[in-house]
């Protein structure tokens, strides 16, 4: 009995250390990603070059994110089921992803002229997309190595490998941009970094062992729904930039511009919009960790048939997420122009109004992801994928229709793109809310939603009216909006004695542990 208890404690300590390592890796990734996003415009010295790079990089990111998520989850799942066969599973995963990576990466490289000239109407994207094909190939294999480490619970190795890649990626992108050869240099540096981390990963993790293969059908059955969901999810998040690029080019050509000025104008708009995306994504990226917490709790509660516990977890997770998301988004939306001033040259203020719209679209997107995670944890991954696909179609149609209505003069096209995306993510939230409510009888408590929106309106207004004409005063406006939001939550009694007592209990417990 004592040995069993000690074993459980050791496993808990191992899980705790693993969480710290994985979280550290994610923090390094986020910090370096923002360092790149905020540095590239200055290194390029041109909004047009930044926009050109952003279109190619964003398209590659959609594929890369799908590959990483689906491959890591699948390999980790199969490895963890039987660790004695971890080497064989790794070898089979590498062979499978060698095929997938070659097909996708090679196909992307071969189709680069077609994609650049026919889909995005800009031949200058061709070499960038070709390099992106090499990156996709490297990501397919690298994700297999990470999945193997995760499945064997070697979290420190996984985190170190991810941290190394974050550093290499940053050095490659910024170093390539600093060479003075524009978007091609930055994308080339990215390609070298992806190839470098693949080689490092193969040395650290190895190639696995042959023999005892898992049936291919088992790989595909587990991976296919993840592919579908992740493809739709990442499309919802980033496809608007490609739609803006193509549609703006078409509109410019229709107004009588020749090819080069038309593509340059579209690239400038894309650069402004990408800058707005950088800050609009902040609420989603900060709340993403909730999905890692809510999934196992909902999964366990539903497997035990504990309906009350399931409702409690869903209410708690969605309420917490909404309040935190609004705490971040409302000050950013209110002081959007000041936020842009913090990090970007003056020209990028053209994207400020788009930021003010898109940041709330990302609140809806983040809540959709949490709702989809609840559905998946409750045994309905197919439904989550279907809702994501429907919402992606709405984003595509809405942005494609909205941009021509706005035109390409001034910043109206940017606002239209943000509005189209936000409409799509709003529909996604509505659909997933209805699905979760029908399945489990719970989602965001209605009174919480009402009070949160009222408090968010206060935070937005305060941030908007506090002066934010410089980077320094913008920080003050953000702080004022944040604290005004919290105060409003107390006034409307969404935050009260219960939360304060919980916070006090946590503090006392930690002091007692010390």
């Amino acid at each position: 009995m004592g040995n069993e208890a000690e074993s459980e404690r050791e496993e808990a300590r191992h899980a705790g250390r693993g969480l710290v390592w994985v979280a550290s890796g994610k923090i390094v990734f986020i910090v370096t990603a923002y360092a790149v996003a905020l540095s590239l415009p200055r290194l390029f010295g041109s909004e047009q070059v930044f926009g050109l790079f952003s279109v190619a990089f964003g398209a590659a990111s959609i594929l890369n994110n799908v590959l990483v998520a689906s491959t890591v989850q699948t390999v980790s799942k199969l490895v963890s089921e039987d660790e004695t066969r971890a080497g064989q599973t790794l070898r089979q995963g590498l062979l499978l992803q060698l095929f997938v990576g070659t097909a996708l990466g090679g196909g992307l490289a071969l189709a680069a002229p077609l994609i650049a000239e026919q889909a995005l109407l800009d031949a200058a994207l061709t070499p960038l997309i070709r390099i992106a094909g090499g990156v996709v190939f490297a990501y397919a294999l690298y994700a297999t190595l990470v999945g193997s480490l995760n499945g064997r619970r070697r979290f420190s190795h996984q985190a170190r490998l991810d941290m190394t890649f974050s550093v290499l990626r940053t050095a490659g992108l910024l170093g390539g941009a600093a060479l003075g050869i524009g978007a091609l240099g930055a994308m080339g540096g990215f390609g070298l970094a992806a190839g470098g981390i693949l080689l490092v990963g193969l040395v650290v993790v190895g190639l696995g062992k042959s023999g005892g293969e898992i049936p291919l059908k088992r790989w595909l059955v587990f991976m296919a729904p993840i592919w579908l969901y992740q493809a739709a999810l990442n499309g919802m998040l980033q496809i608007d930039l490609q739609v803006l690029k193509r549609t703006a080019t078409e509109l410019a050509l229709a107004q009588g511009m020749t090819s080069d000025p038309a593509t340059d104008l579209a690239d400038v708009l894309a650069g402004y919009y990408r800058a707005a995306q950088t800050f609009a994504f902040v609420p989603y990226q900060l709340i993403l960790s909730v999905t890692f917490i809510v999934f196992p709790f909902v999964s366990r509660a539903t497997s035990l048939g504990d309906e009350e516990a399931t409702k409690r977890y869903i209410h708690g997770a969605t309420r917490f997420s909404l309040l935190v998301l609004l705490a971040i988004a409302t000050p950013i939306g209110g002081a959007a122009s000041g936020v842009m001033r913090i990090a970007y040259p003056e020209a990028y203020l053209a994207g400020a109004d788009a930021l003010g719209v898109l940041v709330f679209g990302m609140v809806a997107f983040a809540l959709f992801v949490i709702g989809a995670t609840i559905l998946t944890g409750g045994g309905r991954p197919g439904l989550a994928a279907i809702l994501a696909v429907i919402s992606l179609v709405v984003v595509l149609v809405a942005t494609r229709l909205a941009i021509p209505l706005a035109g390409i003069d001034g910043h109206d096209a940017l606002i239209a793109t943000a509005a189209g995306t936000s409409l799509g993510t709003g529909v996604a939230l509505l659909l997933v809310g209805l699905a979760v409510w029908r399945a489990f009888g719970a989602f965001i408590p209605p009174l919480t939603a009402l009070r949160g929106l009222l408090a968010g309106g206060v935070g937005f207004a305060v941030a908007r009216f506090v002066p934010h004409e410089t980077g320094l005063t913008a920080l003050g406006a953000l702080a004022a909006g944040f604290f005004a939001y919290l105060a409003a939550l107390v006034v409307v009694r969404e935050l009260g004695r219960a939360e304060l007592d919980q916070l006090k209990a946590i503090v006392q417990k930690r002091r007692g542990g010390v």
Side-chain angles (χ1 to χ4, degrees):
M1 194 71 176
N3 290 337
E4 191 173 316
E6 179 58 33
S7 176
E8 289 179 359
R9 285 194 293 270
E10 177 56 32
E11 184 150 345
R13 285 194 291 268
H14 180 72
R17 290 192 296 269
L19 178 62
V20 171
W21 273 109
V22 173
S24 299
K26 294 302 179 187
I27 289 171
V28 171
F29 172 79
I30 290 172
V31 170
T32 54
Y34 272 92
V36 169
L38 300 180
S39 300
L40 281 179
R42 287 183 167 80
L43 287 172
F44 287 143
S46 163
E47 302 94 81
Q48 182 268 326
V49 174
F50 180 58
L52 183 71
F53 169 81
S54 297
V55 170
F57 186 80
S61 295
I62 294 174
L63 264 180
N64 290 335
N65 292 341
V66 173
L67 270 174
V68 170
S70 60
T71 306
V72 169
Q73 290 181 39
T74 303
V75 174
S76 177
K77 167 75 172 174
L78 297 178
V79 166
S80 63
E81 287 180 346
D82 185 359
E83 288 190 42
T84 63
R85 300 184 63 262
Q88 289 87 341
T89 304
L90 171 61
R91 174 68 65 85
Q92 190 178 4
L94 286 172
L95 290 174
L96 177 62
Q97 290 305 107
L98 179 65
F99 171 79
V100 171
T102 300
L104 287 178
L108 188 61
L110 290 174
L114 184 65
I115 296 170
E117 296 171 24
Q118 300 300 318
L120 298 172
L121 307 179
D122 190 349
L125 286 165
T126 299
L128 306 184
I129 295 173
R130 281 182 174 147
I131 295 172
V135 173
V136 167
F137 173 80
Y139 264 70
L141 295 171
Y142 173 71
T144 308
L145 303 174
V146 173
S148 179
L149 291 174
N150 186 267
R152 287 181 286 164
R153 293 168 296 171
R154 295 188 177 180
F155 301 119
S156 62
H157 290 75
Q158 176 187 344
R160 289 190 186 104
L161 199 59
D162 279 341
M163 290 179 189
T164 302
F165 187 27
S166 294
V167 173
L168 286 176
R169 178 177 173 274
T170 303
L173 285 165
L174 298 185
L179 292 176
I181 52 177
L184 186 62
M187 190 62 84
F190 183 32
L192 291 175
I197 196 60
L198 174 59
L199 294 176
V200 171
L202 289 171
V203 171
V204 171
V205 184
L207 295 172
K209 302 175 183 178
S210 59
E213 294 185 348
I214 297 171
L216 182 61
K217 181 179 179 181
R218 178 150 170 69
W219 285 85
L220 297 179
V221 165
F222 189 86
M223 189 179 288
I226 303 175
W227 258 92
L228 179 61
Y229 173 68
Q230 288 293 334
L233 195 70
N234 282 280
M236 286 171 61
L237 189 64
Q238 301 192 71
I239 199 69
D240 52 357
L241 189 63
Q242 282 70 44
V243 175
L244 172 62
K245 164 68 174 173
R246 178 185 172 89
T247 308
T249 302
E250 288 177 334
L251 292 174
L253 291 171
Q255 290 183 5
M257 288 189 184
T258 56
S259 178
D260 287 346
T263 56
D264 286 350
L265 174 61
D267 286 335
V268 169
L269 291 174
Y272 293 153
Y273 190 75
R274 180 68 186 98
Q277 281 183 324
T278 300
F279 288 106
F281 290 167
V282 169
Y284 165 65
Q285 290 168 334
L286 291 180
I287 205 67
L288 189 59
S289 58
V290 171
T291 61
F292 298 108
I293 299 170
V294 72
F295 180 87
F297 278 106
V298 171
S299 181
R300 178 173 175 78
T302 53
S303 66
L304 294 174
D306 192 339
E307 294 183 8
E308 288 305 314
T310 302
K311 290 181 180 179
R312 189 167 61 251
Y313 294 141
I314 292 172
H315 271 137
T318 54
R319 175 179 180 270
F320 171 81
S321 299
L322 175 65
L323 296 181
V324 171
L325 286 165
L326 290 176
I328 303 165
T330 51
I332 291 177
S337 61
V339 170
M340 298 291 282
R341 282 189 175 94
I342 293 174
Y344 289 109
E346 192 74 13
Y348 287 86
L349 289 180
D353 288 339
L355 170 59
V357 174
L358 187 62
V359 70
F360 295 105
M362 290 301 103
V363 169
F365 178 79
L367 291 170
F368 166 78
V369 173
I370 292 167
T373 302
I374 291 169
L375 289 177
T376 303
R380 296 168 172 81
L383 178 57
I386 291 170
L387 296 182
V389 171
I390 293 171
S391 303
L392 172 59
V393 172
V394 175
V395 169
L396 284 169
V397 172
T399 51
R400 182 67 175 166
L401 293 177
I403 297 170
L405 290 176
I408 55 173
D409 295 326
H411 62 291
D412 290 347
L414 306 179
I415 299 174
T417 307
T421 300
S422 298
L423 175 63
T425 58
V427 169
L429 174 58
L430 177 63
L431 292 176
V432 83
L434 291 173
V436 172
W437 186 271
R438 288 191 64 184
F440 307 110
F443 197 56
I444 302 171
L447 281 178
T448 292
L450 177 60
R451 293 166 181 165
L453 291 173
L454 288 173
V458 173
F460 179 91
V462 170
R464 171 61 61 93
F465 289 109
V466 170
H468 46 267
E469 285 75 21
T470 67
L472 185 60
T473 57
L475 293 175
L478 290 174
F482 174 77
F483 287 112
Y485 168 76
L486 292 182
L489 286 179
V490 174
V491 171
V492 298
R493 298 187 177 181
E494 184 58 38
L495 289 182
R497 177 58 58 185
E499 284 76 17
L500 295 175
D501 287 344
Q502 288 176 1
L503 179 60
K504 184 178 179 181
I506 292 171
V507 173
Q508 289 176 342
K509 185 177 180 181
R510 289 186 175 180
R511 286 178 178 173
V514 176

